Amino acid sequence: MQEGVREEKYFSINFRFRIMTVFIICAMIVILLLNYSLSMRTYEKSILEANSQLMDMSMKSVDDSLTKNSEFLRIILTNNMNVYNMAETETESESNLALYRLFQDMEKSILGLTYYDAFFILDENYNTFNTVGNDELSLEEKDIMGRYLKEKRRDLSWQNGNWQIHPVSSTNYLLIAENMDGIMIGAWLNMEHLSEQMESGSFGEGAAAFFTDGDGKVLSGSFPSAGGTLSMKKGEKIYRAENGERYLAVERESRFGGLVLHTMVPMDKIAEELSTARNVTYITIFGFAVLLIFQIYFFKVLLVGPLNELVLAMRLIKEGADMPKARPGNVANEYRVVYDTLDEMVDEIKELKIKVYEEELRKNDIMMEYLKQQVNPHFFLNCLNIIYSLTNMEDYRLIRQMVEYLIKYFRYIFGKTDELVLIRDEISHLENFLHIQEMRYPNRFRYQIRVDEEAGTEKIPPLLIQTFVENSIKHSGMLSSNQLLEIKVGVTWGEELEITVSDNGKGFSLEILKKLRNKESILYDNRKHIGIENAIRRTNVIYNGEEKISFYNENGAHVKIVLPRTYVPKHTF
């Protein structure tokens, strides 16, 4: 009972509405959070694209400028005669004059060049060092670079006209130089100055711009982590610093010196940009939850409450009780219409049930009369023919027996059909019926009847066993030879009556067996026989569908009837 109540609770509208409400709230929360996450990703993607485009432009500008600078140095070194004169002069004064002229030429030509700190001229023959093009260059830096270049002047491996990274006094520089007969001409660029120019390109508020070499070593700029080495895979979009902060990263590689430009935008800054959208999302979720709570309340008051009252009334009707006429005063007009209509339907159903019951009784009476009239005229005529033949033979003893059997037969079928009969009375009638069949079909079959003592006092519908015995004689093929017909009546372990009618003949044909299982009428001698059909219908009415009747072949035809024991039927005939 408790399980049934629990199951009804799970299938109630109130329970389903609550589940649906929880599902909708969760779905809306998920949708809003996914929308916020999608907005975050879209914004991150737009920042990545914007920074990527800006870095492409910045890196191209740097590479183009460095290319121009290197081409400028190559032109000076190969086309300017002053460089040749400096290398070939025999006196320092002549060298200084050529150096002055070269200085003038270079100063005029570098006006359109960018991304350099200074161009320099180093004369190894007279150990002189001069810079060109940057009036703001400090004497300290000039002195540091002069000493470094003089130390490196003998190393020709880097003096090949390519930009290379050189760490000088804890500062990283991009250096380019070419040497011709002891005259070194080149330029340098402080990496910190280059990073400052990159950051001035505005990669976003709080963004960091810095350079690394091919091994990830930070060369300059505001690297957002201590240590000076970038532990990040190439192409990775998110960088997590040692302090736990996360950055949106973009990188571009230069064509010179193995330089890699990085920009990193703090994820916190991106979240701050979307703080309004996040707050709107939270407010929307809260408002939607409040709205659903009010909806649940009104749903319960206006719909579930009256509906529960209606369900209670329907249950009372189902149990046979009268439905109360009083109705809640606050129900909607639609519910009042339902209640009034239900009252009218209940009254009509009561009247209809009375009419149906009376009609059922009338039909049962008609059916019983019809069944009484189903005495097989062919059987009756055959019996008369037998009597007629016996009179010709003047066998009056057999005539008396046949008449006695027929009297008992008709007395039973017309006198015992208004009530259930004892099994022992039904078996006595069956033996009388089989005597008649023996006289009709002499030496054509044998029979054996076994009834448990306990089953003899039980009751069954009249003529039930005879119907199936007659069916076996006609349709199982047992009359073709002297076969044994066996009838057993007993009580099973499950306290049920089991009646078995079987023979050892060839069994039912497939066509007959199919019709019996489908409860169809059977044609015999070109006439429709409805005995089995009537018997099945009667037992179904009497036992309300609790009976079991089965037909099968197993070393002959078999019929098994299982009925409830000590059953008090609702209908009797």
Side-chain angles (χ1 to χ4, degrees):
M1 181 67 181
Q2 292 181 352
E3 292 181 358
V5 173
R6 191 181 299 112
E7 184 176 353
E8 289 184 4
K9 175 183 176 182
Y10 291 150
F11 283 95
S12 66
I13 293 180
N14 191 20
F15 178 79
R16 291 183 178 184
F17 180 78
R18 291 179 181 179
I19 294 297
M20 181 182 67
T21 302
V22 172
F23 174 77
I24 292 176
I25 292 176
C26 294
M28 288 300 300
I29 291 175
V30 171
I31 291 173
L32 291 172
L33 292 178
L34 286 176
N35 181 61
Y36 173 73
S37 176
L38 181 61
S39 301
M40 188 80 171
R41 292 179 180 273
T42 303
Y43 188 63
E44 290 175 5
K45 185 177 179 180
S46 65
I47 291 176
L48 280 173
E49 291 177 352
N51 283 357
S52 296
Q53 294 176 1
L54 188 57
M55 287 185 68
D56 287 337
M57 296 171 55
S58 300
M59 203 71 249
K60 185 176 183 303
S61 175
V62 171
D63 287 346
D64 290 346
S65 296
L66 295 179
T67 300
K68 290 180 180 180
N69 293 344
S70 60
E71 290 177 352
F72 166 72
L73 291 175
R74 190 170 293 108
I75 291 172
I76 290 295
L77 195 63
T78 56
N79 296 340
N80 196 303
M81 292 301 297
N82 292 311
V83 177
Y84 178 79
N85 293 335
M86 286 179 63
E88 296 298 328
T89 55
E90 296 180 357
T91 63
E92 185 175 359
S93 59
E94 291 176 352
S95 176
N96 288 337
L97 178 60
L99 173 62
Y100 174 75
R101 291 173 180 171
L102 178 60
F103 184 88
Q104 293 293 326
D105 292 340
M106 292 179 65
E107 198 168 46
K108 294 176 184 178
S109 302
I110 64 175
L111 295 177
L113 300 179
T114 55
Y115 290 109
Y116 68 91
D117 284 341
F119 289 88
F120 64 87
I121 305 169
L122 176 62
D123 187 351
E124 297 181 16
N125 299 321
Y126 297 101
N127 198 26
T128 60
F129 176 76
N130 293 276
T131 60
V132 182
N134 191 348
D135 297 335
E136 297 180 359
L137 186 65
S138 67
L139 293 176
E140 181 182 3
E141 183 175 357
K142 180 179 179 181
D143 182 60
I144 292 173
M145 291 303 298
R147 288 199 305 269
Y148 179 78
L149 291 170
K150 289 177 181 180
E151 291 175 1
K152 300 285 287 186
R153 69 179 184 273
R154 301 296 182 188
D155 184 5
L156 299 179
S157 61
W158 65 279
Q159 302 176 40
N160 54 9
N162 294 321
W163 290 96
Q164 298 180 17
I165 300 171
H166 290 255
V168 181
S169 185
S170 73
T171 302
N172 292 299
Y173 288 86
L174 268 179
L175 269 173
I176 184 173
E178 291 197 41
N179 194 311
M180 189 179 74
D181 297 333
I183 305 301
M184 182 192 300
I185 299 178
W188 77 73
L189 175 61
N190 191 327
M191 295 299 301
E192 292 293 342
H193 297 164
L194 182 59
S195 296
E196 290 172 2
Q197 294 183 57
M198 292 295 102
E199 288 186 344
S200 66
S202 182
F203 289 104
E205 184 180 356
F210 59 94
F211 285 91
T212 64
D213 59 13
D215 298 327
K217 181 180 179 182
V218 179
L219 303 176
S220 63
S222 52
F223 179 53
S225 179
T229 300
L230 182 65
S231 56
M232 180 177 176
K233 296 180 181 179
K234 186 175 181 180
E236 195 171 353
K237 303 300 182 184
I238 303 297
Y239 173 73
R240 185 181 295 275
E242 294 180 359
N243 58 5
E245 294 184 6
R246 297 168 66 245
Y247 294 83
L248 196 62
V250 183
E251 64 180 34
R252 288 295 183 273
E253 189 172 352
S254 173
R255 299 196 304 267
F256 301 100
L259 289 178
V260 181
L261 173 62
H262 299 267
T263 60
M264 291 193 178
V265 180
M267 299 295 289
D268 293 342
K269 293 292 183 182
I270 298 176
E272 289 178 5
E273 295 290 336
L274 294 175
S275 59
T276 302
R278 182 179 64 247
N279 294 336
V280 170
T281 300
Y282 292 155
I283 292 173
T284 304
I285 293 174
F286 177 77
F288 189 75
V290 172
L291 180 63
L292 280 179
I293 291 174
F294 278 104
Q295 183 180 355
I296 292 173
Y297 173 75
F298 286 111
F299 178 82
K300 184 175 182 179
V301 172
L302 299 178
L303 183 61
V304 176
L307 187 60
N308 288 336
E309 293 289 335
L310 184 60
V311 171
L312 178 61
M314 298 297 290
R315 286 178 176 170
L316 292 175
I317 294 173
K318 183 179 179 181
E319 294 172 358
D322 292 333
M323 188 176 68
K325 300 294 183 180
R327 300 289 178 258
N330 60 344
V331 297
N333 292 332
E334 292 81 1
Y335 276 105
R336 293 185 183 277
V337 172
V338 173
Y339 277 122
D340 293 341
T341 304
L342 184 61
D343 286 339
E344 295 177 2
M345 290 177 59
V346 169
D347 293 338
E348 292 178 0
I349 290 172
K350 288 180 179 178
E351 296 178 4
L352 184 61
K353 286 175 67 175
I354 294 174
K355 292 181 179 180
V356 168
Y357 181 73
E358 293 174 351
E359 183 68 17
E360 185 69 22
L361 293 178
R362 187 179 68 84
K363 285 183 178 181
N364 289 339
D365 293 339
I366 294 174
M367 181 179 177
M368 196 63 244
E369 291 299 322
Y370 172 73
L371 293 175
K372 289 179 180 180
Q373 297 173 13
Q374 295 304 306
V375 177
N376 192 339
H378 185 65
F379 165 78
F380 184 64
L381 290 175
N382 284 337
C383 291
L384 293 179
N385 284 331
I386 293 172
I387 295 174
Y388 178 75
S389 298
L390 292 175
T391 57
N392 290 333
M393 298 170 57
E394 297 182 354
D395 192 342
Y396 301 113
R397 184 182 62 82
L398 291 178
I399 293 174
R400 284 195 299 271
Q401 287 184 356
M402 175 61 79
V403 171
E404 183 180 353
Y405 292 151
L406 288 175
I407 291 172
K408 291 180 180 179
Y409 179 84
F410 288 116
R411 180 184 294 123
Y412 185 84
I413 64 173
F414 289 115
K416 293 291 185 179
T417 52
D418 289 336
E419 59 183 359
L420 298 178
V421 298
L422 293 172
I423 287 180
R424 61 169 173 254
D425 294 339
E426 178 75 1
I427 294 299
S428 177
H429 166 74
L430 180 62
E431 289 178 335
N432 184 73
F433 171 76
L434 290 172
H435 288 320
I436 296 174
Q437 296 299 325
E438 283 182 319
M439 296 186 72
R440 290 181 63 192
Y441 308 109
N443 302 320
R444 300 281 292 278
F445 72 94
R446 296 171 293 118
Y447 69 88
Q448 181 180 354
I449 300 176
R450 290 189 293 177
V451 181
D452 291 350
E453 182 178 354
E454 186 179 2
T457 57
E458 298 292 332
K459 289 186 176 183
I460 60 173
L463 305 178
L464 178 64
I465 302 178
Q466 177 201 317
T467 303
F468 292 97
V469 169
E470 185 176 7
N471 178 74
S472 294
I473 293 174
K474 290 179 179 180
H475 302 296
S476 67
M478 62 176 295
L479 295 178
S480 60
S481 61
N482 188 14
Q483 302 293 335
L484 175 65
L485 176 67
E486 189 173 10
I487 298 98
K488 297 179 183 178
V489 181
V491 178
T492 66
W493 288 101
E495 292 298 304
E496 293 176 319
L497 284 174
E498 182 176 281
I499 303 170
T500 304
V501 179
S502 62
D503 62 64
N504 59 354
K506 61 181 180 180
F508 297 116
S509 66
L510 293 179
E511 180 183 359
I512 295 296
L513 188 61
K514 181 179 179 181
K515 289 185 176 182
L516 290 173
R517 289 176 174 175
N518 293 335
K519 304 175 183 178
E520 299 176 1
S521 301
I522 300 174
L523 289 176
Y524 184 70
D525 292 338
N526 295 322
R527 289 186 298 275
K528 185 177 180 181
H529 292 257
I530 59 174
I532 293 296
E533 183 181 358
N534 281 340
I536 294 175
R537 289 173 57 195
R538 287 178 62 211
T539 53
N540 185 263
V541 171
I542 294 174
Y543 294 99
N544 294 313
E546 295 184 21
E547 80 289 348
K548 301 174 186 177
I549 302 176
S550 56
F551 302 87
Y552 58 94
N553 289 327
E554 184 179 329
N555 298 323
H558 287 256
V559 181
K560 181 185 288 186
I561 306 167
V562 180
L563 304 175
R565 186 184 180 191
T566 62
Y567 185 80
V568 179
K570 295 183 179 179
H571 303 283
T572 58
F573 302 101

